């Protein structure tokens, strides 16, 4: 178990390093100059004092070679220092920390709804003996995956805010203001969970151990939940870990549609203004959330199936 945990921790560190490196290279290759954009805000770029531009480039380290910039920024990032945002002058860590709670609240609620609705739909669809109902329920997840998130958000706003006036259309107004954005994010995520879990359940129900349980007199509900669901949940659990990154990315669209303050809107503004330190800070924090969730999923695996640790140890010994 210790070797299994150490291996997963090493992989997590590698993902964080790769996320930072890729974001640094992509932002470095973008056309334009963030320092020029900041200095020429509200005026023509030809009116900017060259001495002022040189001073700003020196202050943010953009006058150094790319490799030196990368090494300096990476060294500070390891200590949790991502520098100051070019657009606001505030520390990147403070800017992200202020926006992060709203985004975590949104993505956490959306993930909970997605798991509950997706798992419930998969269990009911595979349990029912009515063929037409099963086919109808199993046709809903592909529809949920294919519908664009922004369209779902606009439809919910039009229906439940403007017509029925049940929920506010915009802002961060407590629990009511959280419902529509969370449902918007949860629909495609829950649909993917339902797809994977339903397929795994149908496969598990055809296995020999299920037939053995039935032969011993176990009822349908017990066979479905206690025997089939436990083994079928591993692929769905993997998908849930991967979907956390999708939820964080989807928050950019949802927070824009619902005018919510959060990491998504900070990211959109930072990309628009080419605020390199802020974008890198957001990318690393998003990757950290993704890595932490997948690490938690990896640690839960052995509780559901201890053979995973044994297989990992065998793979390490063969290597």
């Amino acid at each position: 178990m210790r070797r299994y945990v150490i291996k997963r921790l090493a992989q997590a560190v590698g993902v964080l390093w790769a996320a930072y490196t890729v974001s640094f290279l992509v932002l470095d290759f973008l056309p334009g100059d963030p320092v020029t954009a900041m200095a020429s805000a509200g005026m023509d770029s030809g009116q900017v004092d060259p001495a002022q531009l040189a001073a700003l480039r020196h202050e943010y380290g953009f006058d150094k070679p790319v490799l030196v910039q990368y090494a300096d920024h990476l060294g500070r990032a390891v200590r949790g220092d991502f520098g100051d945002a070019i657009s606001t002058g505030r520390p990147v860590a403070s800017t992200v920390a202020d926006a992060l709670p709203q985004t975590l609240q949104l993505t956490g609620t959306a993930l909970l709804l997605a798991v509950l609705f997706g798992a419930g739909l998969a269990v009911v669809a595979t349990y029912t003996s009515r063929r037409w109902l099963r086919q109808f329920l199993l046709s809903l997840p592909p529809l949920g995956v294919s519908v664009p998130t922004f369209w779902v958000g606009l439809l919910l706003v039009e229906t439940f805010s403007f017509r029925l006036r049940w929920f506010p259309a915009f802002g961060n107004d407590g629990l009511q203001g959280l419902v529509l954005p969370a449902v918007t994010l949860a629909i495609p995520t829950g649909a993917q969970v339902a797809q994977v879990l339903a397929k795994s359940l149908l496969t598990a129900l055809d296995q020999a151990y299920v037939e053995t349980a039935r032969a011993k007199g176990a009822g349908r509900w017990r066979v479905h939940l206690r025997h089939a669901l436990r083994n079928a949940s591993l692929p769905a659990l993997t998908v849930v870990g991967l979907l956390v990154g999708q939820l964080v990315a989807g928050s950019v669209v949802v927070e824009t549609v619902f005018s919510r303050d959060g990491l998504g809107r900070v990211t959109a503004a930072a990309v628009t203004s080419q605020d390199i330190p802020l974008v890198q800070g957001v990318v690393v924090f998003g990757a950290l959330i993704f890595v932490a969730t997948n690490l938690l999923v990896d640690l839960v695996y052995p509780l559901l199936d201890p053979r995973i640790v044994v297989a990992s140890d065998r793979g390490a010994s063969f290597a």
Side-chain angles (χ1 to χ4, degrees), residues 56-241:
L56 286 173
R57 288 194 181 96
H58 179 73
E59 179 181 353
Y60 288 98
F62 291 125
D63 57 342
K64 299 178 182 179
V66 174
L67 292 179
V68 176
Q69 292 183 42
Y70 172 77
D72 290 344
H73 294 171
L74 181 60
R76 292 200 303 267
V78 171
R79 300 190 299 269
D81 179 13
F82 293 91
D84 296 332
I86 297 177
S87 55
T88 62
R90 294 185 59 205
V92 170
S94 299
T95 303
V96 173
D98 291 343
L100 192 59
Q102 293 292 338
T103 299
L104 289 180
Q105 184 185 50
L106 173 61
T107 55
T109 305
L111 182 62
L112 178 61
L113 293 176
V115 172
L116 291 177
F117 293 155
L121 179 62
V123 170
V124 173
T126 54
Y127 179 80
T128 182
S129 58
R130 292 179 174 85
R131 183 179 179 84
W132 68 268
L133 180 58
R134 173 179 293 187
Q135 291 179 343
F136 170 73
L137 293 177
L138 292 180
S139 66
L140 294 180
L143 179 63
V145 172
S146 61
V147 174
T149 303
F150 73 90
W151 184 83
V152 174
L154 293 176
L155 181 63
L156 292 178
V157 169
E158 172 67 22
T159 304
F160 295 100
S161 296
F162 295 154
R163 293 189 179 182
L164 300 178
R165 301 185 183 276
W166 288 357
F167 303 101
F170 310 108
N172 301 57
D173 298 332
L175 182 60
Q176 282 193 327
L178 183 64
V179 172
L180 294 185
V183 171
T184 302
L185 268 180
I187 287 176
T189 306
Q192 294 181 60
V193 173
Q195 277 185 314
V196 174
L197 184 57
K199 184 177 181 180
S200 299
L201 274 171
L202 291 174
T203 302
L205 290 170
D206 290 333
Q207 298 301 312
Y209 67 87
V210 173
E211 295 297 330
T212 302
R214 289 170 178 164
K216 291 181 177 180
R220 286 188 64 214
W221 192 248
R222 182 178 180 182
V223 168
H224 210 83
L225 295 183
R226 184 171 180 178
H227 296 279
L229 183 60
R230 179 174 180 177
N231 291 281
S233 61
L234 287 175
L237 189 60
T238 303
V239 169
V240 169

Side-chain angles (χ1 to χ4, degrees), residues 249-270:
S251 67
V252 177
V253 176
V254 172
E255 288 177 356
T256 302
V257 170
F258 291 93
S259 297
R260 289 181 58 89
D261 295 327
L263 206 56
R265 295 190 70 184
V266 170
T267 304

Side-chain angles (χ1 to χ4, degrees), residues 261-286:
D261 295 327
L263 206 56
R265 295 190 70 184
V266 170
T267 304
V271 171
T272 302
S273 61
Q274 296 186 10
D275 195 331
I276 294 178
L278 185 54
V279 172
Q280 287 180 330
V282 170
V283 168
V284 171
F285 274 95

